[in-house]
Amino acid sequence: MKYTIKSILVGVLVFAVGIAAPDLRAQKLDFKPYSSEQGLSQSVVISMFQDKSGFIWIGTQNGLNKFNGYKFEKHYNNPLDSGSISNSWIYAITQDTLGNIYAGTKNGLNKLNRKTGAFERINYMANFANRFLNNSVYGLTTGANGNIIINASPFLCIYNPYKKEVKVLESPLEPDASISDQNMPVIQTKDGVIWMGSNKGLASYNPKTNSFFVYSAQTYFPYAISSNQVTALFEDSFGNIWVGTSNGINKINPNKRGIESYITIKDPKNLLNKNVIKSITQDKKGNLWIGTEHGGLIAMLKPNSENPAFQSYTKENSMLSSNNVLSLLLDYSNNLWIGTLDRLNKVDLKDKNFKLYRNDNSQTSVNLLGNIIASIYKTPDNKIWVGNWGQGLNVFDRKTNTVVHYTAESPGNFNIVNNFVHAIFKDNKNRIWIGTQNGM
């Protein structure tokens, strides 16, 4: 009975040192991957959305997924079932105020009825079907008034889910008959203006004046964007609009209507100079997260300051599964979800009140002899002496992140009498005493 109680007490002694939350520039992120092995329908993650109940919806090139944190519920097109989704290639996802999920696909708009669980195919073309170039719904968002806003470039469609009516607006953007493999963003900003991307430029629509304004690479300064292929849109907490393109990122201040390019002038490391920007989001501290094609994930710290800092996360310098980051989502729990060309990744961005030192297969692993900690002592030179239960003694130098091991099997001066290290103590003559299960 004494041995059982001792085992429990040793098992709950956690080796953790309280620290202040680290600066993002010095923080190593742990990327948790999800793929078909965990139940995801397919590993190319084009779009993501979190609904009001907290479920994460993931759009891939082959299926719509609903993730509850433990398992994936998958939806595919079934040609023999009119109640299935109309196409398995999912460009965009949103939700109406009644809780129904909408999915934009390569073959139309679908509504997943919250009550019945069946898909309804929405005829967003209404009476203008002969004017649409194809049936692809490239982007979706829910407007401030509950309408579903559809990017069917060059057409902007506004669907009223209550009246089941569609308003079709033809933007001044140049038509493009080709079908894109990736989505085209659409957002509505706090001032009510709708912004829609395309392969032929950026258009903004003001419902108050019923008018469009077009930004393109051919427009004269200060309304020129760095490329006509607009691949990402995001409104930050200051009301600035960030425009991701195939040639860098641009910032629009709606009050000035001018454009500030971040291709080279604001990026000393040139992280954004050569990359196609695929996705943009912002965390709770105001940092921008930017997904690129071939360039991995980029964090822009203090993006609205005079000299923002940049941090790059790639497959080579972190555990990110792919350098092609297609979609980003910050959930209600401050987790960053990263959709890539090869799997879905999740990173916890919450401040850590404790830093965990553990021997595992993560990027932050520490070379301890074991993870069951029986005793701890810190010397004035900031070295941590760690006694394991049955595996020996460790001396951990936090400055160099190195560990020296002492075990009963070690030769010479590295030998201790027993591997069960119960106590570590320093006397007034600066001698360290190691108490074990078989002497000291």
Side-chain angles (χ1 to χ4, degrees):
M1 188 64 183
K2 291 181 180 178
Y3 181 81
T4 304
I5 293 173
K6 188 182 292 183
S7 297
I8 293 172
L9 291 175
V10 170
V12 298
L13 180 56
V14 180
F15 177 31
V17 181
I19 59 170
D23 188 286
L24 184 62
R25 282 168 284 189
Q27 185 178 357
K28 292 182 179 180
L29 301 181
D30 286 330
F31 294 82
K32 182 178 180 180
Y34 296 88
S35 66
S36 55
E37 294 179 359
Q38 286 75 41
L40 189 65
S41 67
Q42 201 244 13
S43 290
V44 181
V45 179
I46 302 174
S47 55
M48 290 184 287
F49 178 80
Q50 185 173 28
D51 68 22
K52 297 170 186 175
S53 300
F55 296 109
I56 305 294
W57 293 82
I58 302 130
T60 72
Q61 289 182 352
N62 187 33
L64 174 66
N65 302 259
K66 177 185 178 183
F67 186 50
N68 64 5
Y70 301 97
K71 62 181 180 179
F72 294 88
E73 176 186 305
K74 298 180 280 287
H75 300 275
Y76 302 95
N77 169 250
N78 182 351
L80 303 178
D81 182 7
S82 60
S84 69
I85 195 166
S86 61
N87 190 274
S88 296
W89 193 296
I90 315 299
Y91 285 119
I93 310 164
T94 194
Q95 183 179 34
D96 66 20
T97 56
L98 301 175
N100 302 306
I101 295 294
Y102 290 75
T105 75
K106 268 193 175 182
N107 186 30
L109 177 64
N110 300 258
K111 180 179 81 172
L112 178 60
N113 191 296
R114 180 174 58 89
K115 295 180 180 179
T116 67
F119 284 93
E120 176 187 348
R121 301 174 186 185
I122 306 296
N123 181 16
Y124 67 96
M125 295 181 179
N127 299 320
F128 298 90
N130 61 328
R131 297 174 59 191
F132 280 79
L133 303 177
N134 56 63
N135 196 22
S136 295
V137 174
Y138 293 115
L140 289 175
T141 191
T142 302
N145 55 4
N147 289 334
I148 304 300
I149 302 171
I150 305 159
N151 185 351
S153 180
F155 294 94
L156 177 65
C157 306
I158 301 174
Y159 174 69
N160 186 319
Y162 315 104
K163 298 180 180 180
K164 296 187 177 181
E165 297 175 349
V166 182
K167 180 180 181 180
V168 179
L169 301 165
E170 186 170 2
S171 75
L173 294 171
E174 183 182 340
D176 183 4
S178 61
I179 298 177
S180 175
D181 283 348
Q182 300 299 324
N183 51 8
M184 298 179 192
V186 60
I187 61 171
Q188 185 172 32
T189 48
K190 298 179 184 71
D191 57 6
V193 176
I194 297 171
W195 299 76
M196 61 181 292
S198 77
N199 289 329
K200 302 293 183 179
L202 171 68
S204 65
Y205 172 72
N206 190 333
K208 296 177 182 178
T209 60
N210 192 32
S211 60
F212 281 93
F213 187 87
V214 173
Y215 300 79
S216 75
Q218 288 75 38
T219 310
Y220 292 106
F221 181 83
Y223 304 114
I225 54 178
S226 55
S227 169
N228 284 340
Q229 188 175 4
V230 176
T231 49
L233 289 171
F234 184 78
E235 182 185 23
D236 69 16
S237 54
F238 291 93
N240 297 307
I241 297 129
W242 295 83
V243 184
T245 75
S246 60
N247 185 30
I249 193 168
N250 307 264
K251 183 174 75 171
I252 299 176
N253 184 327
N255 297 322
K256 299 178 181 178
R257 293 194 75 178
I259 295 178
E260 185 174 5
S261 173
Y262 275 78
I263 305 172
T264 54
I265 59 172
K266 289 290 182 180
D267 182 4
K269 295 182 180 179
N270 288 327
L271 293 175
L272 304 178
N273 186 31
K274 58 185 177 181
N275 295 312
V276 178
I277 309 300
K278 304 298 291 187
S279 47
I280 307 169
T281 193
Q282 187 175 35
D283 65 25
K284 294 180 180 180
K285 293 183 177 180
N287 303 312
L288 280 188
W289 293 86
I290 302 163
T292 74
E293 184 176 293
H294 305 306
L297 178 67
I298 295 170
M300 185 189 291
L301 286 66
K302 299 181 180 178
N304 290 298
S305 65
E306 287 295 324
N307 295 295
F310 294 85
Q311 176 66 49
S312 173
Y313 299 91
T314 65
K315 188 175 180 179
E316 292 75 24
N317 68 15
S318 69
M319 297 183 72
L320 184 67
S321 62
S322 170
N323 288 335
N324 289 283
V325 178
L326 308 179
S327 53
L328 293 170
L329 170 71
L330 187 76
D331 71 15
Y332 304 145
S333 299
N334 206 24
N335 295 307
L336 180 66
W337 296 82
I338 306 147
T340 77
L341 194 65
D342 180 24
R343 285 171 287 181
L344 172 67
N345 296 257
K346 183 179 79 169
V347 170
D348 186 354
L349 295 182
K350 291 186 285 294
D351 287 341
K352 308 298 187 296
N353 293 320
F354 289 87
K355 181 175 181 179
L356 180 64
Y357 296 91
R358 177 170 56 193
N359 192 339
D360 56 21
N361 58 1
S362 73
Q363 191 179 11
T364 56
S365 176
V366 174
N367 185 29
L368 300 174
L369 288 166
N371 291 322
I372 302 178
I373 311 302
S375 53
I376 305 175
Y377 184 81
K378 183 171 80 72
T379 53
D381 59 358
N382 256 339
K383 290 182 180 177
I384 311 295
W385 292 61
V386 183
N388 280 135
W389 180 260
Q391 291 154 310
L393 173 68
N394 312 261
V395 180
F396 174 43
D397 188 334
R398 284 193 291 170
K399 292 181 180 178
T400 61
N401 204 44
T402 57
V403 184
V404 177
H405 299 148
Y406 300 87
T407 71
E409 295 76 31
S410 299
N413 293 334
F414 288 83
N415 179 270
I416 57 176
V417 295
N418 187 271
N419 286 331
F420 288 84
V421 180
H422 295 169
I424 306 171
F425 175 76
K426 184 171 74 71
D427 65 20
N428 58 7
K429 293 183 180 180
N430 287 323
R431 294 177 298 188
I432 292 181
W433 296 78
I434 309 298
T436 78
Q437 202 173 70
N438 187 30
M440 68 180 182

